Amino acid sequence: MTALRSTARLQFHRGFTFEDAAALVDYFAALGVSHLYASPITTAQPGSTHGYDTVDYARVNPELGGEAALGRLVAKLRAHRMGLVVDIVPNHMGVGGAHNAWWLDILTWGRHSEFARYFDVDWHSPDPALRGKVLAPFLGGPYGEELQARKIVLGWDSERAQFLVEYGPHRFPICPTDYASMFRTADAPALAPLIESFHQLGSQPEDRPRAAAAHERLRAFATDAGRRSALDAVLEAHAAPEVLHRLLERQHFRLAWWRTASDEVNWRRFFDISALIGMRVERPEVFEASHALIFRLYAQGEIDGVRVDHVDGLAEPREYCQRLRLRLDQLRSLRPAGLREEPAPLVVEKILARDEPMRTDWGIDGTTGYDFMDQVGALLHDPSGAAPLEAWWRALPGASALSFEAQALRAKRQMLAENLAAEVDRSTRALHRIARDDIATRDNTFGSIKRVLTEYVVHFPVYRIYPENGTRSAEDNRFFDRAREGARAQLRHADEAMLERLDGWLGGSGNESGTSIGQANGAGTTPASAGGAPAYPTPAGSHRRAALIVFSQLTSPTAAKAVEDTVCYRYGRLLSRNEVGANPSEIALTPGAFHEVTAARARDFPRAWLTTATHDHKRGEDTRARLAVISEIPERWAATVAHWRSLNAVHKTPRAKSDARMTSGAQVSPLSRSSRQTNPATSDDGLDLRDPEASTEAMLYEALVGAWPLDLSPEDAQGVQSFGERVAAWLEKALREAKLRTDWFTPNAAYETACHDFLLAILAPSQRQGFLGELALFVGQIAAAGAINSLQQTLLRLASPGIADLYQGTELWDFSMVDPDNRRPVDFALRRAALEAGSPAGLLADWRDGRVKLAIIRSALALRTRHPDLFVGGDYLPLVIKGPMDRHAIAFARMSRMDGSMAIAVASRLPGTVLGNADQPIIKPSDWADTRLVIPELVRDRFTDVLADHAFEAAASLPLSEVLAALPVALLSNEGSASQIQTQVRTESGNT
């Protein structure tokens, strides 16, 4: 079996199947990829473009070709000594529609369904209308209106021989316990035998045999064409809305308008998506049922490893990963003989804060690489640009005067109040249950707990914590303490006792009962033992564990929705830092800090994945790299935007005074207000009275600059129109995700139209000599610097410790935007043709076609293939750059303890101010002056640059004017030399 060295992510759907992938295996093999990395392969909702809405864990998706086509793909991979890693989705399934059998079963039988505990449903809702039921929030309008409009109808499913309620594509089975009364309502004599069969049928599990027998009689009845009119009579008898309503009220589901979900849903969702229901994979039977196919495919040698989607949504991520690792290890001996050498790769999708290390006790190889994407992306930015860009952004009309962190807190409050209110109530109820268990705390009210809980969640600095056996670890406490102090600053003094009490209930090791409310108010004391411990029982362990779980399942989506899906669309200081897994308030990372986090990854997770593009990124890797140049020229950018705003002011639409949401979420700083007091286009409070407002306009310019294709000319009307359509889709999503003047719940058509019309106007053919020409000119002036940034992050991804991950199509330039733009079809024929184009150095002159990037990837992957232990598990050594241009380069060495091989990666950085408006993405040798790469004795050898085929003799230092003469990056290898490094490294490390 080929060890995992690198992956190529492919997005499968019915437009790109296993057969399509099989036709590309030879291309990826020639590129140097060791494993394909597939989006989910289990059966998803019909027509799914991503596969994360699984409806059947037990079957390979037939839309992708099914298991037979998967087998043919794997056979071709094996023929090229390649493997397959698949994405799995244990956290949630797709619901709604008519294809999830488990979901349909709980709609039918409620909490007595055999799958009732598979889903994370609260069957004991405090709402009497939902007790023992599930909310089904799939109606396009209020229930009463849809019912009266007869959009909700009773139907007959001849295939399953069952009655169900139909609403568009959705199906809601009627419980068989109601069939007898339905037959009576129809008053059809032919139904009399069936009435007897279903009479007094119960919904308990012990009633299921009788229900099955009755169902078979109904099926036989329905196959007789002469009796079909009797079944039609049942449908006619329930056509009247009032009759159908009475039937619906007796079901184990409650149909509801989709907008009710945020406030009333009684099951855990994936974030706030009501089409995805949370799974209780912590239960052994659910774990086995949802992983049976994956385990079988692994044991059979059809797949080699897994990537776990959204691990933070699970009840206990650590325990889940440990269980998954154990099962894969157990199955390893069952695999075909040639596939048993390597353990299964196991990585998790995990968002980490900059000061949050990945836990080392999960049994995983690491994360999927969002942390690396953040780190290498920040490395491209100039820290000196942070302050002037922040000042520029805050001065724009419509921009918030708050810091990014303050905006994130505000957005979290908004998410909890508007999008996740039901989840807040669920967590509060779990804590309130603990309070009621102890007579010392039973008077703690639901409202007080909710108030304090909300502040804890708002101030939580990471996605979640990972307690063990109901107790927080020291690492958990580090983050929990920060949340507690942030909450303390916002709460009344009267809430202090509750603040500490929740600390104990949520895994703290202190006094769990704490002080009673009466004591806190001076109304008395709580009896305690002589030792100071509470005299009354502490919360039951199962209740505290449940509270910890739902708390963690609340902090995670709150952080994601507030930051990634809200503030990242509000805060426009520099969009290249508004990325999944990144903190936009941290604009840059120094080489020293990059070396530090990379060395830690090499030590703790040498097989973690390294990615710079994903199916979820907000901007393509080369879009971000180009925008990073702005951090080096903040004053020029501010002046450019000011000029464009003046140039395009004529295309703005006067704002309707009745737009009540015009200032929602926005604050204007005193400085920016005073600077606009004489502008007739602004209101008295400094807000621009035309749409789009300046802040939105500026973010639009950033998007245009970042995504403008290198080969697009302003004279190409059709090309500009196509580009504009892509940007328009991004703009709509950006406006709605920002949730300021429009959103997905209540779109503001007038505002969105004004913004859309503005975009079309500034990209119109008439603007070729105006804005359109200036946009292309500006992009052309920074494009070369952006390309250097792109090649820098490409090399670092390929040479850093870990598994290099390639997202489909990004072998060439990737100037994509957020999905669905980043999931467009890929022209693999173009990439296949570029494979034999030549060496990287020889392709630099034609850098705009992107072939130089592909050639670098191929050359680096070839070196990884020849020396896999060098890059996956090899030592990492930061190297020093000395000289007048030391801040414009970064370098490190890789050393293998297995075969003595070494490599040195060198990359130009911060090229914007050095290149100026140069057309070629390379710093001239003369500009490097006497800047040199210091070569420690440990790695001193004869090297050859595999990207430029240039040899360097062993020396104490190498001039960057030579190392980076042919390309802005270099990858030096000592292969073929008579090095004694292997013995030296082993001797110095004590491993001889």
Side-chain angles (χ1 to χ4, degrees):
M1 174 182 173
T2 299
L4 181 63
R5 303 184 308 269
S6 56
T7 60
R9 164 79 177 203
L10 294 178
Q11 288 293 118
F12 287 99
H13 47 82
R14 64 185 178 189
F16 185 85
T17 67
F18 297 139
E19 298 289 356
D20 297 310
L24 298 170
V25 168
D26 58 337
Y27 161 73
F28 285 113
L31 188 62
V33 170
S34 71
H35 287 65
L36 291 187
Y37 157 35
S39 60
I41 64 172
T42 48
T43 301
Q45 291 279 22
S48 175
T49 59
H50 48 75
Y52 290 99
D53 45 358
T54 303
V55 294
D56 187 351
Y57 282 119
R59 188 169 56 131
V60 175
N61 196 339
E63 290 192 349
L64 310 184
E67 194 164 338
L70 175 65
R72 291 190 292 272
L73 167 61
V74 173
K76 195 162 185 180
L77 288 169
R78 299 303 183 208
H80 287 78
R81 298 185 59 79
M82 295 172 67
L84 178 65
V85 177
V86 298
D87 202 341
I88 63 173
V89 193
N91 175 67
H92 53 267
M93 291 187 82
V95 292
H99 299 87
N100 188 329
W102 293 357
W103 168 253
L104 294 176
D105 199 72
I106 71 164
L107 293 182
T108 305
W109 298 103
R111 58 185 171 182
H112 300 302
S113 164
E114 64 177 298
F115 305 108
R117 293 191 175 187
Y118 279 42
F119 300 107
D120 203 348
V121 178
D122 181 3
W123 293 106
H124 304 284
S125 173
D127 181 355
L130 283 176
R131 203 158 294 153
K133 298 179 181 238
V134 291
L135 187 73
F138 303 110
L139 303 183
Y143 169 76
E145 294 179 10
E146 301 297 274
L147 188 67
Q148 291 297 329
R150 297 178 185 260
K151 294 181 181 179
I152 305 171
V153 297
L154 184 67
W156 168 257
D157 185 337
S158 57
E159 181 180 348
R160 295 184 176 88
Q162 66 178 184
F163 290 100
L164 42 74
V165 169
E166 300 174 343
Y167 179 83
H170 302 288
R171 300 294 180 266
F172 307 95
I174 297 298
C175 184
T177 59
D178 281 305
Y179 281 16
S181 64
M182 292 167 63
F183 296 151
R184 293 190 188 96
T185 302
D187 193 24
L191 294 173
L194 293 178
I195 293 176
E196 181 62 29
S197 297
F198 286 94
H199 179 62
Q200 293 187 341
L201 179 66
S203 61
Q204 298 292 335
E206 55 267 27
D207 296 312
R208 224 49 60 81
R210 184 184 164 209
H215 183 263
E216 287 306 312
R217 284 190 283 274
L218 174 59
R219 182 184 295 277
F221 181 92
T223 57
D224 186 335
R227 297 172 175 176
R228 173 67 200 188
S229 60
L231 297 179
D232 290 339
V234 176
L235 303 183
E236 292 174 9
H238 292 82
E242 59 275 13
V243 178
L244 182 57
H245 170 67
R246 288 194 294 270
L247 175 63
L248 287 172
E249 288 292 273
R250 299 195 298 270
Q251 302 313 302
H252 297 291
F253 55 85
R254 180 167 77 83
L255 295 183
W257 189 15
W258 64 270
R259 289 187 180 179
T260 66
S262 293
D263 293 320
E264 295 189 345
V265 70
N266 63 332
W267 40 270
R268 179 170 60 86
R269 302 175 291 172
F270 171 71
F271 293 176
D272 61 348
I273 302 175
S274 299
L276 299 174
I277 189 171
M279 304 299 295
R280 297 195 63 188
V281 74
E282 69 274 14
R283 298 184 64 86
E285 69 273 21
V286 182
F287 178 84
E288 293 299 330
S290 57
H291 292 73
L293 173 66
I294 296 300
F295 290 154
R296 177 171 62 80
L297 294 176
Y298 177 68
Q300 292 174 349
E302 297 290 282
I303 66 172
D304 301 298
V306 296
R307 175 258 200 200
V308 180
D309 178 67
H310 191 52
V311 72
D312 275 341
L314 304 180
E316 296 170 323
R318 176 201 294 107
E319 290 74 10
Y320 166 82
C321 290
Q322 291 171 343
R323 186 183 307 122
L324 182 58
R325 169 59 74 193
L326 178 62
R327 291 287 280 116
L328 292 172
D329 287 348
Q330 291 171 340
L331 293 169
R332 188 170 154 194
S333 63
L334 302 179
R335 287 166 63 78
L339 302 177
R340 298 173 188 169
E341 297 89 346
E342 298 287 331
L346 172 56
V347 293
V348 298
E349 182 198 36
K350 175 78 183 84
I351 303 300
L352 294 165
R354 183 62 56 80
D355 62 342
E356 179 189 13
M358 185 66 227
R359 311 298 173 97
T360 58
D361 59 346
W362 289 21
I364 61 173
D365 292 312
T367 74
T368 56
Y370 285 120
D371 47 339
F372 178 81
M373 185 164 75
D374 170 40
Q375 294 153 8
V376 76
L379 183 67
L380 306 180
H381 291 70
D382 188 342
S384 65
L389 285 173
E390 183 73 11
W392 161 76
W393 170 252
R394 293 197 188 192
L396 288 172
S400 174
L402 299 175
S403 66
F404 177 84
E405 292 86 349
Q407 290 189 59
L409 294 179
R410 173 176 288 186
K412 284 184 176 183
R413 295 187 195 283
Q414 183 178 351
M415 290 304 101
L416 293 174
E418 299 177 7
N419 294 60
L420 300 170
E423 286 78 4
V424 174
D425 285 347
R426 182 188 187 207
S427 186
T428 303
R429 283 196 299 274
L431 291 164
H432 194 221
R433 192 174 297 119
I434 294 174
R436 291 292 176 89
D437 278 351
D438 189 336
I439 63 173
T441 59
R442 71 175 188 177
D443 286 345
N444 290 183
T445 65
F446 183 91
S448 65
I449 294 173
K450 182 176 181 179
R451 184 166 57 249
V452 175
L453 170 69
T454 298
E455 291 303 321
Y456 263 119
V457 176
V458 164
H459 290 89
F460 219 74
V462 294
Y463 263 45
R464 60 171 290 168
I465 54 175
Y466 307 97
E468 190 168 9
N469 297 322
T471 302
R472 300 195 304 263
S473 66
E475 190 68 21
D476 292 330
N477 283 331
R478 187 161 66 90
F479 301 116
F480 203 93
D481 290 348
R482 285 160 57 183
R484 184 180 62 247
E485 295 315 305
R488 191 189 308 278
Q490 297 297 316
L491 292 167
R492 311 172 300 172
H493 178 68
D495 289 319
E496 284 281 334
M498 183 61 70
L499 186 74
E500 301 303 325
R501 192 163 294 131
L502 260 63
D503 185 352
W505 290 344
L506 291 172
S509 57
N511 184 334
E512 293 157 337
S513 281
T515 307
S516 70
I517 285 184
Q519 182 179 350
N521 292 333
T525 61
T526 300
S529 64
Y536 303 119
T538 56
S542 61
H543 284 178
R544 185 162 81 167
R545 177 176 174 272
L548 271 168
I549 288 172
V550 296
F551 173 76
S552 296
Q553 290 174 328
L554 176 59
T555 59
S556 175
T558 302
K561 290 297 299 180
V563 177
E564 295 172 20
D565 295 342
T566 302
V567 188
C568 279
Y569 291 97
R570 295 178 178 179
Y571 181 70
R573 177 177 68 172
L574 194 51
L575 295 185
S576 49
R577 293 298 294 139
N578 292 18
E579 191 52 79
V580 179
N583 183 346
S585 67
E586 298 176 352
I587 202 169
L589 193 68
T590 65
F594 179 81
H595 288 316
E596 183 179 345
V597 295
T598 305
R601 184 182 298 110
R603 179 189 67 241
D604 297 330
F605 295 102
R607 289 172 175 75
W609 288 10
L610 313 173
T611 192
T612 47
T614 77
H615 60 287
D616 278 334
H617 66 231
K618 299 195 179 299
R619 276 156 208 92
E621 59 184 31
D622 302 314
T623 305
R624 298 193 306 270
R626 181 189 292 169
L627 288 175
V629 178
I630 292 175
S631 69
E632 299 184 69
I633 53 170
E635 291 81 9
R636 179 180 170 190
W637 174 247
T640 298
V641 171
H643 170 63
W644 287 349
R645 286 182 57 209
S646 176
L647 188 66
N648 293 326
V650 66
H651 302 301
K652 289 193 170 188
T653 300
R655 182 177 304 163
K657 294 183 178 180
S658 61
D659 187 351
R661 288 184 291 183
M662 62 180 287
T663 62
S664 176
Q667 290 187 0
V668 182
S669 68
L671 176 63
S672 60
R673 182 181 296 120
S674 63
S675 67
R676 296 194 299 275
Q677 285 179 344
T678 60
N679 187 341
T682 59
S683 64
D684 292 340
D685 62 0
L687 289 171
D688 194 343
L689 296 181
R690 299 165 299 173
D691 289 327
E693 60 271 82
S695 55
T696 298
E697 184 182 0
M699 294 176 77
L700 175 59
Y701 293 146
E702 286 189 69
L704 291 170
V705 167
W708 183 269
L710 283 168
D711 59 353
L712 181 59
S713 166
E715 302 300 319
D716 180 1
Q718 185 174 354
V720 172
Q721 180 181 355
S722 177
F723 174 64
E725 291 170 354
R726 290 174 51 212
V727 177
W730 167 83
L731 180 60
E732 179 186 76
K733 184 167 186 173
L735 295 174
R736 293 185 180 184
E737 293 285 13
K739 306 173 187 69
L740 293 176
R741 295 181 55 201
T742 186
D743 55 43
W744 295 106
F745 286 96
T746 53
N748 182 339
Y751 174 62
E752 291 182 6
T753 298
C755 294
H756 182 265
D757 290 349
F758 177 80
L759 171 63
L760 295 183
I762 65 176
L763 295 183
S766 60
Q767 299 302 308
R768 290 171 182 167
Q769 304 304 316
F771 169 73
L772 199 53
E774 291 194 13
L775 171 63
L777 177 64
F778 183 85
V779 171
Q781 291 172 343
I782 69 168
I788 291 180
N789 283 340
S790 294
L791 298 183
Q792 174 193 346
Q793 73 176 352
T794 296
L795 177 68
L796 297 187
R797 169 165 53 91
L798 294 164
S800 293
I803 305 300
D805 177 43
L806 175 76
Y807 181 66
Q808 61 177 28
T810 58
E811 306 95 297
L812 299 180
W813 299 129
D814 171 31
F815 297 109
S816 63
M817 292 168 281
V818 74
D819 66 277
D821 193 64
N822 60 9
R823 304 176 190 179
R824 288 174 296 151
V826 177
D827 186 349
F828 282 110
L830 177 65
R831 286 153 179 80
R832 188 190 296 272
L835 272 175
E836 305 301 331
S839 68
L843 294 170
L844 186 65
D846 298 319
W847 64 274
R848 291 177 179 274
D849 61 21
R851 292 181 301 168
V852 62
K853 181 183 178 185
L854 186 148
I856 288 173
I857 293 171
R858 185 180 187 186
S859 297
L861 290 181
L863 184 61
R864 292 178 72 103
T865 301
R866 295 193 296 272
H867 301 285
D869 296 314
L870 175 61
F871 295 97
V872 183
D875 291 337
Y876 178 87
L877 179 66
L879 298 183
V880 174
I881 308 289
K882 284 189 176 181
M885 291 275 287
D886 58 352
R887 74 187 297 262
H888 292 281
I890 184 172
F892 55 81
R894 304 301 312 280
M895 301 173 290
S896 170
R897 298 169 183 264
M898 302 295 291
D899 62 4
S901 59
M902 294 187 299
I904 295 177
V906 189
S908 308
R909 63 182 300 266
L910 302 181
T913 53
V914 181
L915 290 189
N917 295 336
D919 185 63
Q920 285 295 304
I922 190 167
I923 296 175
K924 294 183 295 185
S926 58
D927 287 336
W928 287 112
D930 191 32
T931 307
R932 305 179 72 84
L933 170 65
V934 178
I935 310 294
E937 185 175 353
L938 181 65
V939 293
R940 201 168 297 164
D941 205 341
R942 185 179 187 275
F943 288 95
T944 299
D945 185 356
V946 301
L947 307 181
D949 197 25
H950 183 76
F952 298 89
E953 296 298 328
S957 67
L958 297 174
L960 289 189
S961 59
E962 293 184 21
V963 175
L964 300 176
L967 284 168
V969 295
L971 183 57
L972 313 182
S973 169
N974 77 329
E975 59 184 357
S977 66
S979 173
Q980 299 299 314
I981 187 65
Q982 182 179 10
T983 302
Q984 186 174 355
V985 169
R986 288 179 175 173
T987 300
E988 294 187 4
S989 63
N991 292 328
T992 54

